[in-house]
Amino acid sequence: MAKLNILHFPDKRLRTKAKDIHVIDDALRVIVSNMLETMYDAPGVGLAATQVNIHKRLIVIDVSEEKDQPLCFINPVITHKEGVELGQEGCLSVPGYYEDVERAETITVTALDKDAKPFELTTDGLLAICIQHEIDHLDGKLFVDYLSPLKRNRIRKKLERLDKDQALKQA
Protein backbone atom coordinates (compact mmCIF):
# COMPACT_ATOMS: atom_id res chain seq x y z
CA MET A 1 0.00 0.00 0.00
CA ALA A 2 1.08 3.57 -0.63
CA LYS A 3 0.07 6.91 0.73
CA LEU A 4 -1.23 9.24 -1.98
CA ASN A 5 -0.81 13.01 -2.32
CA ILE A 6 -4.00 14.95 -1.48
CA LEU A 7 -4.69 17.94 -3.72
CA HIS A 8 -5.51 21.21 -1.96
CA PHE A 9 -7.96 23.94 -2.91
CA PRO A 10 -7.68 25.94 -5.20
CA ASP A 11 -5.92 23.26 -7.33
CA LYS A 12 -7.84 23.17 -10.63
CA ARG A 13 -7.63 19.36 -10.80
CA LEU A 14 -10.19 19.28 -7.96
CA ARG A 15 -12.71 20.67 -10.46
CA THR A 16 -12.35 17.70 -12.84
CA LYS A 17 -15.53 15.66 -13.23
CA ALA A 18 -14.78 11.99 -12.53
CA LYS A 19 -15.56 9.29 -15.08
CA ASP A 20 -17.55 6.11 -14.45
CA ILE A 21 -15.56 2.98 -13.70
CA HIS A 22 -16.20 0.11 -16.12
CA VAL A 23 -13.59 -2.41 -14.94
CA ILE A 24 -13.26 -3.50 -11.33
CA ASP A 25 -10.03 -5.44 -11.03
CA ASP A 26 -7.03 -5.89 -8.73
CA ALA A 27 -5.52 -2.59 -9.95
CA LEU A 28 -8.64 -0.75 -8.80
CA ARG A 29 -8.62 -2.60 -5.47
CA VAL A 30 -5.02 -1.38 -4.95
CA ILE A 31 -6.25 2.18 -5.52
CA VAL A 32 -9.00 1.58 -2.93
CA SER A 33 -6.42 0.30 -0.40
CA ASN A 34 -4.11 3.25 -1.08
CA MET A 35 -6.99 5.70 -0.70
CA LEU A 36 -8.00 4.14 2.63
CA GLU A 37 -4.41 4.32 3.90
CA THR A 38 -4.21 7.98 2.81
CA MET A 39 -7.57 8.81 4.43
CA TYR A 40 -6.67 7.14 7.75
CA ASP A 41 -3.24 8.79 7.80
CA ALA A 42 -4.59 12.30 7.05
CA PRO A 43 -6.72 11.70 9.30
CA GLY A 44 -10.13 11.91 7.67
CA VAL A 45 -13.46 10.10 7.44
CA GLY A 46 -13.85 10.20 3.66
CA LEU A 47 -11.81 10.57 0.49
CA ALA A 48 -12.82 10.87 -3.15
CA ALA A 49 -10.51 9.66 -5.91
CA THR A 50 -10.57 13.17 -7.38
CA GLN A 51 -8.80 14.45 -4.26
CA VAL A 52 -5.79 12.24 -5.05
CA ASN A 53 -5.79 13.16 -8.75
CA ILE A 54 -7.54 9.97 -9.90
CA HIS A 55 -10.56 11.05 -11.90
CA LYS A 56 -12.71 7.96 -11.46
CA ARG A 57 -16.07 7.73 -9.65
CA LEU A 58 -14.72 6.15 -6.47
CA ILE A 59 -15.01 7.15 -2.82
CA VAL A 60 -13.93 5.56 0.45
CA ILE A 61 -15.44 6.34 3.85
CA ASP A 62 -15.06 5.19 7.43
CA VAL A 63 -17.06 7.08 10.06
CA SER A 64 -16.58 4.43 12.77
CA GLU A 65 -14.91 5.42 16.06
CA GLU A 66 -12.41 2.55 15.78
CA LYS A 67 -11.65 3.21 12.09
CA ASP A 68 -12.38 -0.42 11.30
CA GLN A 69 -15.47 -0.20 9.06
CA PRO A 70 -14.20 0.99 5.69
CA LEU A 71 -16.76 1.49 2.94
CA CYS A 72 -16.05 1.65 -0.77
CA PHE A 73 -18.50 3.20 -3.25
CA ILE A 74 -17.82 2.72 -6.96
CA ASN A 75 -19.98 4.79 -9.33
CA PRO A 76 -22.15 6.08 -6.44
CA VAL A 77 -25.49 7.70 -7.26
CA ILE A 78 -27.81 9.33 -4.76
CA THR A 79 -31.28 8.12 -5.71
CA HIS A 80 -33.27 9.78 -2.92
CA LYS A 81 -32.86 12.75 -0.58
CA GLU A 82 -35.08 13.74 2.31
CA GLY A 83 -35.05 16.56 4.84
CA VAL A 84 -32.44 19.25 5.39
CA GLU A 85 -29.80 19.68 8.05
CA LEU A 86 -27.04 22.18 8.69
CA GLY A 87 -23.75 20.80 9.94
CA GLN A 88 -20.07 21.64 10.22
CA GLU A 89 -17.91 20.18 7.49
CA GLY A 90 -14.22 20.07 6.91
CA CYS A 91 -12.23 18.66 4.01
CA LEU A 92 -8.82 17.10 3.52
CA SER A 93 -8.47 19.29 0.41
CA VAL A 94 -9.26 22.43 2.44
CA PRO A 95 -7.15 21.74 5.53
CA GLY A 96 -7.88 23.60 8.73
CA TYR A 97 -11.25 25.05 7.72
CA TYR A 98 -14.67 24.05 9.03
CA GLU A 99 -17.91 25.70 7.95
CA ASP A 100 -21.64 25.04 8.18
CA VAL A 101 -23.07 23.40 5.05
CA GLU A 102 -26.69 22.49 4.30
CA ARG A 103 -27.19 18.87 3.21
CA ALA A 104 -30.01 16.38 2.89
CA GLU A 105 -30.75 14.72 6.23
CA THR A 106 -31.42 11.23 4.85
CA ILE A 107 -30.18 9.79 1.56
CA THR A 108 -30.33 6.59 -0.42
CA VAL A 109 -27.28 5.77 -2.50
CA THR A 110 -26.61 2.98 -4.98
CA ALA A 111 -23.10 1.86 -5.89
CA LEU A 112 -20.82 -1.10 -6.49
CA ASP A 113 -18.46 -2.41 -3.83
CA LYS A 114 -14.80 -3.30 -4.48
CA ASP A 115 -15.89 -6.79 -5.57
CA ALA A 116 -18.28 -5.32 -8.18
CA LYS A 117 -21.36 -6.25 -6.15
CA PRO A 118 -24.19 -3.70 -6.43
CA PHE A 119 -25.70 -2.39 -3.22
CA GLU A 120 -28.15 0.21 -1.96
CA LEU A 121 -27.81 2.06 1.33
CA THR A 122 -30.23 4.39 3.09
CA THR A 123 -28.55 6.42 5.82
CA ASP A 124 -28.53 9.64 7.78
CA GLY A 125 -26.21 11.48 10.17
CA LEU A 126 -22.48 11.72 9.57
CA LEU A 127 -22.44 8.94 6.98
CA ALA A 128 -25.09 10.69 4.84
CA ILE A 129 -23.21 13.99 5.06
CA CYS A 130 -19.93 12.31 4.18
CA ILE A 131 -21.38 10.50 1.15
CA GLN A 132 -22.87 13.74 -0.19
CA HIS A 133 -19.60 15.60 0.42
CA GLU A 134 -17.48 12.97 -1.36
CA ILE A 135 -19.87 12.63 -4.32
CA ASP A 136 -19.63 16.42 -4.72
CA HIS A 137 -15.87 15.92 -5.19
CA LEU A 138 -16.56 13.47 -8.02
CA ASP A 139 -18.61 16.21 -9.69
CA GLY A 140 -15.85 18.80 -9.27
CA LYS A 141 -17.54 20.56 -6.38
CA LEU A 142 -16.03 21.46 -3.00
CA PHE A 143 -17.71 22.34 0.29
CA VAL A 144 -16.36 25.90 -0.06
CA ASP A 145 -18.69 26.28 -3.06
CA TYR A 146 -21.57 26.38 -0.56
CA LEU A 147 -20.01 29.40 1.17
CA SER A 148 -20.25 33.06 0.27
CA PRO A 149 -17.76 34.28 -2.38
CA LEU A 150 -16.09 36.43 0.30
CA LYS A 151 -15.47 33.46 2.64
CA ARG A 152 -14.36 31.24 -0.25
CA ASN A 153 -11.84 33.85 -1.46
CA ARG A 154 -10.43 34.34 2.05
CA ILE A 155 -9.89 30.60 2.41
CA ARG A 156 -8.35 30.37 -1.09
CA LYS A 157 -5.89 33.19 -0.40
CA LYS A 158 -4.84 31.74 2.97
CA LEU A 159 -4.28 28.28 1.48
CA GLU A 160 -2.33 29.73 -1.47
CA ARG A 161 -0.07 31.54 1.03
CA LEU A 162 0.41 28.34 3.04
CA ASP A 163 1.30 26.36 -0.10
CA LYS A 164 3.80 29.06 -1.12
CA ASP A 165 5.38 29.05 2.34
CA GLN A 166 5.67 25.26 2.29
CA ALA A 167 7.25 25.32 -1.19
CA LEU A 168 9.84 27.85 0.04
CA LYS A 169 10.67 25.69 3.08
CA GLN A 170 11.18 22.64 0.86
CA ALA A 171 13.40 24.52 -1.63
Side-chain angles (χ1 to χ4, degrees), residues 64-77:
S64 69
E65 289 290 324
E66 299 79 23
K67 301 299 175 207
D68 62 353
Q69 296 174 32
L71 300 171
C72 171
F73 297 79
I74 298 169
N75 300 331
V77 175

Side-chain angles (χ1 to χ4, degrees), residues 8-19:
H8 291 156
F9 174 72
D11 193 309
K12 293 192 183 319
R13 294 172 290 181
L14 289 167
R15 301 302 186 174
T16 305
K17 190 164 167 79
K19 303 226 182 306

